Amino acid sequence: CFIYDLGLEVWFFDAVVLEEAAALKKPARSRFAAMASIRPCIKRLIALTGTPAPNRLLDIWGIIYLLDGGQRLGRDFETYRATYFEPDKQDYRRGRVFSWKLRPGMDQVIYEAISDITVSMNKVGYNSIHSISIFKDSFNFPLIKSFR
């Protein structure tokens, strides 16, 4: 694992919780690459976000890939895009695609593929939460060096 950039000598976390996992939606960004590089060291990964598909389903591949290693939506972004989407706006002369749109019916295929590892709440679900437990524990991790 590539953990030295984090200031760690050994990766000792069994689980990682990604708060605002939508920040990892773009596979070309260094943030995604850093998380993908340490993913094999993590036994349990939990991704939290208030906006899992902020623009469209094209954006969720990165988050799902980190959760399942490509089992549900494919091992690379280009294959995912080619399977479930088609070019929308494009420059035919230069062969450039400016935007992509879902192929008909593929939204339900994607939702079904990820249904066993995702939980979604809408406004109706808020009314069923009756009690919340808050745990305040502090932990000291002397092995972690400061990194910024």
Side-chain angles (χ1 to χ4, degrees), residues 118-132:
T118 57
V119 175
S120 179
M121 277 183 70
N122 55 29
K123 287 183 181 181
V124 175
Y126 296 149
N127 296 333
S128 64
I129 298 175
H130 297 290
S131 65
I132 297 175

Side-chain angles (χ1 to χ4, degrees), residues 1-65:
C1 293
F2 301 102
I3 58 175
Y4 301 107
D5 291 338
L6 297 176
L8 300 173
E9 294 180 19
V10 175
W11 184 264
F12 56 94
F13 299 106
D14 286 350
V16 171
V17 177
L18 299 173
E19 171 65 24
E20 278 311 316
L24 298 167
K25 67 184 180 181
K26 300 287 184 188
R29 300 231 170 112
S30 60
R31 194 177 304 174
F32 175 87
M35 188 64 217
S37 72
I38 61 169
R39 180 60 179 101
C41 303
I42 301 169
K43 292 179 183 174
R44 183 178 236 14
L45 179 67
I46 300 168
L48 304 173
T49 183
T51 53
N55 293 317
R56 56 195 182 278
L57 287 172
L58 193 62
D59 292 338
I60 67 165
W61 179 86
I63 299 168
I64 300 300
Y65 175 82

